[in-house]
């Protein structure tokens, strides 16, 4: 993941973030710690398009899945993220 110091954003503005967003999400570093993550609109929409963690917790049918089913779902989701350009 790309990162940028908050001071760099203050100095250069959002153009500094725009350059890094072309390569993926950007962590904003403040006081030597990752404080924020900036996503492109496309990444945000893809991230929020599917069921949220709350959906998984609230659906009884999903709560009955065993560990291997959950692991398989998570693996498929990770593979989909890796396959995205």
């Amino acid at each position: 993941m790309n990162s940028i110091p908050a001071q760099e954003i203050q100095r250069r503005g959002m153009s500094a973030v725009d350059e890094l967003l072309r390569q993926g999400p950007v962590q904003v570093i403040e006081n030597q710690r990752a404080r924020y993550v900036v996503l492109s609109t496309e990444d945000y929409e893809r991230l929020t398009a599917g069921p949220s963690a709350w959906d998984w917790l609230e659906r009884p049918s999903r709560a009955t899945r065993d560990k291997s089913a959950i692991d398989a779902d998570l693996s498929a989701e990770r593979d989909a993220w890796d396959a995205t350009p």
Side-chain angles (χ1 to χ4, degrees):
M1 180 179 298
N2 301 306
S3 63
I4 187 169
Q7 296 86 351
E8 183 73 9
I9 298 170
Q10 290 172 341
R11 188 174 70 79
R12 294 182 49 210
M14 285 305 292
S15 63
V17 175
D18 287 337
E19 291 172 14
L20 292 173
L21 274 175
R22 290 186 195 109
Q23 301 166 20
V26 179
Q27 282 185 333
V28 179
I29 308 298
E30 188 175 67
N31 297 325
Q32 300 178 351
R33 291 181 37 184
R35 295 275 298 168
Y36 312 99
V37 175
V38 180
L39 301 171
S40 68
T41 302
E42 294 83 14
D43 286 341
Y44 176 77
E45 288 172 351
R46 186 173 40 140
L47 185 64
T48 58
S52 71
W54 293 115
D55 292 334
W56 285 47
L57 293 172
E58 293 173 359
R59 291 185 188 161
S61 62
R62 292 197 182 242
T64 59
R65 296 181 306 158
D66 63 6
K67 182 182 181 310
S68 62
I70 293 169
D71 288 343
D73 288 346
L74 289 173
S75 179
E77 188 171 332
R78 286 186 194 110
D79 290 344
W81 273 86
D82 290 340
T84 303

